[in-house]
Amino acid sequence: MKKSRKLLIAGNWKMNKLRADTEAFFDEFVPKLSALPHKDTIDVLFSCPLPLIATAQTKSKNTVTIASQNYHWEPKGAFTGEVSIPMLVDFGVNTSVVGHSERRQYFNESNETMRKKLLAAQNAKFKVIACVGETLEQRKSNQTTQVIDEQLKAIISGIKESSSQSLEHVVIAYEPVWAIGTGLSATTEQAVEVHKHIRSVWATAFGPGEAQKLRVLYGGSVTPDNATALLSQEDIDGALIGGASLKPDDFFKICQIAAS
Ligand code: 13P
């Protein structure tokens, strides 16, 4: 797929799989990916639960990026149950998903925690896939743009507060909450409208050149069946995939579409 920006196909395993499943997944996936024509035209990433990271790193044999799903903004301290960026880096992890709607919904994460986490990531030159997206209620009451703007404002504030701004370390994922795990993907028109808006907000904050470079992923019920329609849109620079990333064959098919 000829695109302005390199497509990123990212799996988010959420709280799924054990070590044996991880081994079996990569035993099947890696040979397929390695044999994929034009595989260098796409980036492939898996956001794994922490106990699976070492297995995923070993079994994926450097063919993909292994990322985490979350991190704390402080480098160390009395934060039971949390993990810091230096700990992840020490483990060979240089990327994380951040601000996923499930973190917001079930663990009280807010735009303020997003700001702190972006600041910490930028200071550490740590890469993030920062998630934004509206709920069904918010969409129905025409608040989508406002909600996305508030979420982006927090992300942009975190970046701007850092003395070592590195925009190439930031990817945005638009994940409408109502499309996550529901089988009800956004239409290409709905996704493109928000993606264009995100790029325009980025242009206002950082200039049109940076906005052209920003990768904006779509997430929410992406499958091999709808991937072609979504990924062929100029403003959609990849996908963040939950359910379909758990099956090597489905996820590979999406990689195949992206690299075609
Ligand atoms: P599904 O692909 O299962 O809808 O999940 C999307 C998601 O939340 C990825 O982060």
Side-chain angles (χ1 to χ4, degrees), residues 121-146:
Q122 288 280 293
N123 284 344
K125 297 205 182 316
F126 188 71
K127 296 182 190 170
V128 294
I129 300 176
C131 302
V132 299
E134 80 288 0
T135 63
L136 187 58
E137 264 177 24
Q138 290 164 338
R139 175 163 281 267
K140 279 184 174 163
S141 55
N142 290 323
Q143 287 178 297
T144 300
T145 307
Q146 186 194 328

PDB file of all heavy atoms in Angstrom, residues 121-146:
ATOM      1  N   ALA A 121       7.716  10.245  29.244  1.00  0.00           N
ATOM      2  CA  ALA A 121       8.190   9.522  28.056  1.00  0.00           C
ATOM      3  C   ALA A 121       9.118  10.410  27.228  1.00  0.00           C
ATOM      4  O   ALA A 121      10.181   9.979  26.772  1.00  0.00           O
ATOM      5  CB  ALA A 121       7.008   9.057  27.217  1.00  0.00           C
ATOM      6  N   GLN A 122       8.724  11.666  27.039  1.00  0.00           N
ATOM      7  CA  GLN A 122       9.544  12.575  26.242  1.00  0.00           C
ATOM      8  C   GLN A 122      10.893  12.816  26.914  1.00  0.00           C
ATOM      9  O   GLN A 122      11.921  12.803  26.248  1.00  0.00           O
ATOM     10  CB  GLN A 122       8.804  13.904  26.053  1.00  0.00           C
ATOM     11  CG  GLN A 122       7.636  13.783  25.092  1.00  0.00           C
ATOM     12  CD  GLN A 122       8.062  13.807  23.631  1.00  0.00           C
ATOM     13  OE1 GLN A 122       8.532  14.805  23.129  1.00  0.00           O
ATOM     14  NE2 GLN A 122       7.905  12.695  22.947  1.00  0.00           N
ATOM     15  N   ASN A 123      10.869  12.997  28.224  1.00  0.00           N
ATOM     16  CA  ASN A 123      12.127  13.216  28.951  1.00  0.00           C
ATOM     17  C   ASN A 123      13.074  12.031  28.782  1.00  0.00           C
ATOM     18  O   ASN A 123      14.290  12.192  28.752  1.00  0.00           O
ATOM     19  CB  ASN A 123      11.855  13.465  30.440  1.00  0.00           C
ATOM     20  CG  ASN A 123      11.330  14.873  30.683  1.00  0.00           C
ATOM     21  OD1 ASN A 123      11.444  15.750  29.814  1.00  0.00           O
ATOM     22  ND2 ASN A 123      10.731  15.099  31.856  1.00  0.00           N
ATOM     23  N   ALA A 124      12.482  10.835  28.700  1.00  0.00           N
ATOM     24  CA  ALA A 124      13.299   9.614  28.592  1.00  0.00           C
ATOM     25  C   ALA A 124      13.523   9.196  27.140  1.00  0.00           C
ATOM     26  O   ALA A 124      14.124   8.155  26.890  1.00  0.00           O
ATOM     27  CB  ALA A 124      12.607   8.487  29.356  1.00  0.00           C
ATOM     28  N   LYS A 125      12.998   9.977  26.189  1.00  0.00           N
ATOM     29  CA  LYS A 125      13.031   9.605  24.761  1.00  0.00           C
ATOM     30  C   LYS A 125      12.457   8.196  24.554  1.00  0.00           C
ATOM     31  O   LYS A 125      12.989   7.361  23.822  1.00  0.00           O
ATOM     32  CB  LYS A 125      14.446   9.715  24.195  1.00  0.00           C
ATOM     33  CG  LYS A 125      15.001  11.141  24.231  1.00  0.00           C
ATOM     34  CD  LYS A 125      16.067  11.333  23.178  1.00  0.00           C
ATOM     35  CE  LYS A 125      16.705  12.709  23.186  1.00  0.00           C
ATOM     36  NZ  LYS A 125      15.821  13.834  23.313  1.00  0.00           N
ATOM     37  N   PHE A 126      11.364   7.951  25.228  1.00  0.00           N
ATOM     38  CA  PHE A 126      10.667   6.659  25.193  1.00  0.00           C
ATOM     39  C   PHE A 126       9.489   6.798  24.227  1.00  0.00           C
ATOM     40  O   PHE A 126       8.785   7.811  24.246  1.00  0.00           O
ATOM     41  CB  PHE A 126      10.175   6.370  26.624  1.00  0.00           C
ATOM     42  CG  PHE A 126       9.594   5.017  26.861  1.00  0.00           C
ATOM     43  CD1 PHE A 126      10.409   3.890  26.875  1.00  0.00           C
ATOM     44  CD2 PHE A 126       8.232   4.862  27.109  1.00  0.00           C
ATOM     45  CE1 PHE A 126       9.867   2.636  27.127  1.00  0.00           C
ATOM     46  CE2 PHE A 126       7.687   3.613  27.365  1.00  0.00           C
ATOM     47  CZ  PHE A 126       8.514   2.492  27.369  1.00  0.00           C
ATOM     48  N   LYS A 127       9.280   5.801  23.379  1.00  0.00           N
ATOM     49  CA  LYS A 127       8.229   5.913  22.357  1.00  0.00           C
ATOM     50  C   LYS A 127       6.867   5.535  22.923  1.00  0.00           C
ATOM     51  O   LYS A 127       6.773   4.604  23.748  1.00  0.00           O
ATOM     52  CB  LYS A 127       8.537   4.980  21.179  1.00  0.00           C
ATOM     53  CG  LYS A 127       9.807   5.336  20.450  1.00  0.00           C
ATOM     54  CD  LYS A 127       9.996   4.398  19.277  1.00  0.00           C
ATOM     55  CE  LYS A 127      11.383   4.581  18.683  1.00  0.00           C
ATOM     56  NZ  LYS A 127      11.713   3.565  17.702  1.00  0.00           N
ATOM     57  N   VAL A 128       5.842   6.220  22.453  1.00  0.00           N
ATOM     58  CA  VAL A 128       4.485   5.904  22.926  1.00  0.00           C
ATOM     59  C   VAL A 128       3.492   5.809  21.775  1.00  0.00           C
ATOM     60  O   VAL A 128       3.650   6.464  20.741  1.00  0.00           O
ATOM     61  CB  VAL A 128       3.940   6.964  23.926  1.00  0.00           C
ATOM     62  CG1 VAL A 128       4.735   6.955  25.217  1.00  0.00           C
ATOM     63  CG2 VAL A 128       3.903   8.358  23.320  1.00  0.00           C
ATOM     64  N   ILE A 129       2.483   4.993  22.004  1.00  0.00           N
ATOM     65  CA  ILE A 129       1.265   5.022  21.185  1.00  0.00           C
ATOM     66  C   ILE A 129       0.195   5.562  22.129  1.00  0.00           C
ATOM     67  O   ILE A 129      -0.270   4.855  23.030  1.00  0.00           O
ATOM     68  CB  ILE A 129       0.881   3.621  20.673  1.00  0.00           C
ATOM     69  CG1 ILE A 129       2.002   3.031  19.809  1.00  0.00           C
ATOM     70  CG2 ILE A 129      -0.432   3.682  19.882  1.00  0.00           C
ATOM     71  CD1 ILE A 129       1.746   1.595  19.333  1.00  0.00           C
ATOM     72  N   ALA A 130      -0.119   6.832  21.983  1.00  0.00           N
ATOM     73  CA  ALA A 130      -1.025   7.512  22.910  1.00  0.00           C
ATOM     74  C   ALA A 130      -2.455   7.434  22.366  1.00  0.00           C
ATOM     75  O   ALA A 130      -2.722   7.835  21.230  1.00  0.00           O
ATOM     76  CB  ALA A 130      -0.591   8.959  23.088  1.00  0.00           C
ATOM     77  N   CYS A 131      -3.362   6.924  23.206  1.00  0.00           N
ATOM     78  CA  CYS A 131      -4.728   6.636  22.729  1.00  0.00           C
ATOM     79  C   CYS A 131      -5.710   7.761  23.054  1.00  0.00           C
ATOM     80  O   CYS A 131      -5.685   8.321  24.153  1.00  0.00           O
ATOM     81  CB  CYS A 131      -5.244   5.354  23.365  1.00  0.00           C
ATOM     82  SG  CYS A 131      -4.195   3.930  23.043  1.00  0.00           S
ATOM     83  N   VAL A 132      -6.562   8.036  22.095  1.00  0.00           N
ATOM     84  CA  VAL A 132      -7.679   8.978  22.297  1.00  0.00           C
ATOM     85  C   VAL A 132      -8.941   8.327  21.728  1.00  0.00           C
ATOM     86  O   VAL A 132      -8.856   7.425  20.908  1.00  0.00           O
ATOM     87  CB  VAL A 132      -7.437  10.336  21.595  1.00  0.00           C
ATOM     88  CG1 VAL A 132      -6.188  11.027  22.142  1.00  0.00           C
ATOM     89  CG2 VAL A 132      -7.320  10.177  20.077  1.00  0.00           C
ATOM     90  N   GLY A 133     -10.083   8.807  22.183  1.00  0.00           N
ATOM     91  CA  GLY A 133     -11.329   8.267  21.616  1.00  0.00           C
ATOM     92  C   GLY A 133     -12.523   8.594  22.488  1.00  0.00           C
ATOM     93  O   GLY A 133     -12.393   8.739  23.704  1.00  0.00           O
ATOM     94  N   GLU A 134     -13.671   8.708  21.840  1.00  0.00           N
ATOM     95  CA  GLU A 134     -14.897   9.093  22.539  1.00  0.00           C
ATOM     96  C   GLU A 134     -15.768   7.873  22.844  1.00  0.00           C
ATOM     97  O   GLU A 134     -15.673   6.851  22.168  1.00  0.00           O
ATOM     98  CB  GLU A 134     -15.688  10.101  21.675  1.00  0.00           C
ATOM     99  CG  GLU A 134     -16.528   9.506  20.549  1.00  0.00           C
ATOM    100  CD  GLU A 134     -15.714   8.971  19.375  1.00  0.00           C
ATOM    101  OE1 GLU A 134     -14.488   9.038  19.401  1.00  0.00           O
ATOM    102  OE2 GLU A 134     -16.350   8.450  18.417  1.00  0.00           O
ATOM    103  N   THR A 135     -16.630   8.000  23.844  1.00  0.00           N
ATOM    104  CA  THR A 135     -17.602   6.941  24.150  1.00  0.00           C
ATOM    105  C   THR A 135     -18.810   7.107  23.221  1.00  0.00           C
ATOM    106  O   THR A 135     -18.941   8.134  22.527  1.00  0.00           O
ATOM    107  CB  THR A 135     -18.095   7.039  25.602  1.00  0.00           C
ATOM    108  OG1 THR A 135     -18.781   8.288  25.754  1.00  0.00           O
ATOM    109  CG2 THR A 135     -16.956   6.963  26.607  1.00  0.00           C
ATOM    110  N   LEU A 136     -19.683   6.117  23.259  1.00  0.00           N
ATOM    111  CA  LEU A 136     -20.875   6.188  22.409  1.00  0.00           C
ATOM    112  C   LEU A 136     -21.757   7.377  22.809  1.00  0.00           C
ATOM    113  O   LEU A 136     -22.254   8.110  21.956  1.00  0.00           O
ATOM    114  CB  LEU A 136     -21.663   4.872  22.523  1.00  0.00           C
ATOM    115  CG  LEU A 136     -22.838   4.726  21.563  1.00  0.00           C
ATOM    116  CD1 LEU A 136     -22.374   4.851  20.120  1.00  0.00           C
ATOM    117  CD2 LEU A 136     -23.537   3.383  21.769  1.00  0.00           C
ATOM    118  N   GLU A 137     -21.904   7.560  24.117  1.00  0.00           N
ATOM    119  CA  GLU A 137     -22.710   8.701  24.618  1.00  0.00           C
ATOM    120  C   GLU A 137     -22.156  10.021  24.110  1.00  0.00           C
ATOM    121  O   GLU A 137     -22.896  10.913  23.700  1.00  0.00           O
ATOM    122  CB  GLU A 137     -22.653   8.738  26.141  1.00  0.00           C
ATOM    123  CG  GLU A 137     -23.812   8.071  26.808  1.00  0.00           C
ATOM    124  CD  GLU A 137     -23.670   8.081  28.324  1.00  0.00           C
ATOM    125  OE1 GLU A 137     -22.967   8.952  28.883  1.00  0.00           O
ATOM    126  OE2 GLU A 137     -24.277   7.189  28.932  1.00  0.00           O
ATOM    127  N   GLN A 138     -20.840  10.147  24.191  1.00  0.00           N
ATOM    128  CA  GLN A 138     -20.201  11.395  23.735  1.00  0.00           C
ATOM    129  C   GLN A 138     -20.403  11.594  22.238  1.00  0.00           C
ATOM    130  O   GLN A 138     -20.670  12.701  21.785  1.00  0.00           O
ATOM    131  CB  GLN A 138     -18.710  11.377  24.099  1.00  0.00           C
ATOM    132  CG  GLN A 138     -18.489  11.497  25.597  1.00  0.00           C
ATOM    133  CD  GLN A 138     -17.095  11.095  26.039  1.00  0.00           C
ATOM    134  OE1 GLN A 138     -16.390  10.350  25.355  1.00  0.00           O
ATOM    135  NE2 GLN A 138     -16.682  11.577  27.200  1.00  0.00           N
ATOM    136  N   ARG A 139     -20.310  10.505  21.466  1.00  0.00           N
ATOM    137  CA  ARG A 139     -20.533  10.646  20.015  1.00  0.00           C
ATOM    138  C   ARG A 139     -21.980  11.049  19.748  1.00  0.00           C
ATOM    139  O   ARG A 139     -22.247  11.944  18.955  1.00  0.00           O
ATOM    140  CB  ARG A 139     -20.190   9.350  19.270  1.00  0.00           C
ATOM    141  CG  ARG A 139     -20.511   9.420  17.783  1.00  0.00           C
ATOM    142  CD  ARG A 139     -19.830   8.344  16.971  1.00  0.00           C
ATOM    143  NE  ARG A 139     -18.435   8.665  16.693  1.00  0.00           N
ATOM    144  CZ  ARG A 139     -18.003   9.281  15.594  1.00  0.00           C
ATOM    145  NH1 ARG A 139     -18.851   9.652  14.652  1.00  0.00           N
ATOM    146  NH2 ARG A 139     -16.732   9.531  15.414  1.00  0.00           N
ATOM    147  N   LYS A 140     -22.897  10.373  20.460  1.00  0.00           N
ATOM    148  CA  LYS A 140     -24.317  10.645  20.216  1.00  0.00           C
ATOM    149  C   LYS A 140     -24.676  12.081  20.565  1.00  0.00           C
ATOM    150  O   LYS A 140     -25.578  12.666  19.977  1.00  0.00           O
ATOM    151  CB  LYS A 140     -25.181   9.682  21.031  1.00  0.00           C
ATOM    152  CG  LYS A 140     -25.326   8.322  20.368  1.00  0.00           C
ATOM    153  CD  LYS A 140     -26.275   7.460  21.175  1.00  0.00           C
ATOM    154  CE  LYS A 140     -26.582   6.143  20.495  1.00  0.00           C
ATOM    155  NZ  LYS A 140     -27.165   5.188  21.447  1.00  0.00           N
ATOM    156  N   SER A 141     -23.989  12.640  21.556  1.00  0.00           N
ATOM    157  CA  SER A 141     -24.314  14.022  21.923  1.00  0.00           C
ATOM    158  C   SER A 141     -23.362  15.031  21.263  1.00  0.00           C
ATOM    159  O   SER A 141     -23.152  16.138  21.794  1.00  0.00           O
ATOM    160  CB  SER A 141     -24.345  14.179  23.443  1.00  0.00           C
ATOM    161  OG  SER A 141     -23.130  13.745  23.981  1.00  0.00           O
ATOM    162  N   ASN A 142     -22.791  14.621  20.132  1.00  0.00           N
ATOM    163  CA  ASN A 142     -21.937  15.507  19.317  1.00  0.00           C
ATOM    164  C   ASN A 142     -20.752  16.108  20.074  1.00  0.00           C
ATOM    165  O   ASN A 142     -20.367  17.244  19.834  1.00  0.00           O
ATOM    166  CB  ASN A 142     -22.768  16.657  18.724  1.00  0.00           C
ATOM    167  CG  ASN A 142     -23.701  16.133  17.661  1.00  0.00           C
ATOM    168  OD1 ASN A 142     -23.343  15.237  16.900  1.00  0.00           O
ATOM    169  ND2 ASN A 142     -24.920  16.676  17.633  1.00  0.00           N
ATOM    170  N   GLN A 143     -20.201  15.307  21.000  1.00  0.00           N
ATOM    171  CA  GLN A 143     -19.057  15.818  21.774  1.00  0.00           C
ATOM    172  C   GLN A 143     -17.725  15.232  21.309  1.00  0.00           C
ATOM    173  O   GLN A 143     -16.697  15.454  21.958  1.00  0.00           O
ATOM    174  CB  GLN A 143     -19.255  15.465  23.249  1.00  0.00           C
ATOM    175  CG  GLN A 143     -20.324  16.269  23.951  1.00  0.00           C
ATOM    176  CD  GLN A 143     -20.453  15.785  25.379  1.00  0.00           C
ATOM    177  OE1 GLN A 143     -20.816  14.628  25.627  1.00  0.00           O
ATOM    178  NE2 GLN A 143     -20.125  16.637  26.320  1.00  0.00           N
ATOM    179  N   THR A 144     -17.761  14.498  20.209  1.00  0.00           N
ATOM    180  CA  THR A 144     -16.540  13.783  19.790  1.00  0.00           C
ATOM    181  C   THR A 144     -15.341  14.720  19.676  1.00  0.00           C
ATOM    182  O   THR A 144     -14.290  14.485  20.269  1.00  0.00           O
ATOM    183  CB  THR A 144     -16.780  13.046  18.451  1.00  0.00           C
ATOM    184  OG1 THR A 144     -17.846  12.115  18.651  1.00  0.00           O
ATOM    185  CG2 THR A 144     -15.550  12.291  17.983  1.00  0.00           C
ATOM    186  N   THR A 145     -15.515  15.805  18.935  1.00  0.00           N
ATOM    187  CA  THR A 145     -14.382  16.707  18.698  1.00  0.00           C
ATOM    188  C   THR A 145     -13.868  17.305  20.003  1.00  0.00           C
ATOM    189  O   THR A 145     -12.655  17.367  20.242  1.00  0.00           O
ATOM    190  CB  THR A 145     -14.809  17.842  17.736  1.00  0.00           C
ATOM    191  OG1 THR A 145     -15.369  17.226  16.581  1.00  0.00           O
ATOM    192  CG2 THR A 145     -13.648  18.706  17.326  1.00  0.00           C
ATOM    193  N   GLN A 146     -14.804  17.696  20.849  1.00  0.00           N
ATOM    194  CA  GLN A 146     -14.415  18.309  22.124  1.00  0.00           C
ATOM    195  C   GLN A 146     -13.611  17.319  22.995  1.00  0.00           C
ATOM    196  O   GLN A 146     -12.583  17.684  23.583  1.00  0.00           O
ATOM    197  CB  GLN A 146     -15.687  18.737  22.854  1.00  0.00           C
ATOM    198  CG  GLN A 146     -15.447  19.513  24.125  1.00  0.00           C
ATOM    199  CD  GLN A 146     -16.737  19.592  24.957  1.00  0.00           C
ATOM    200  OE1 GLN A 146     -17.848  19.620  24.407  1.00  0.00           O
ATOM    201  NE2 GLN A 146     -16.588  19.608  26.257  1.00  0.00           N
TER     202      GLN A 146
END
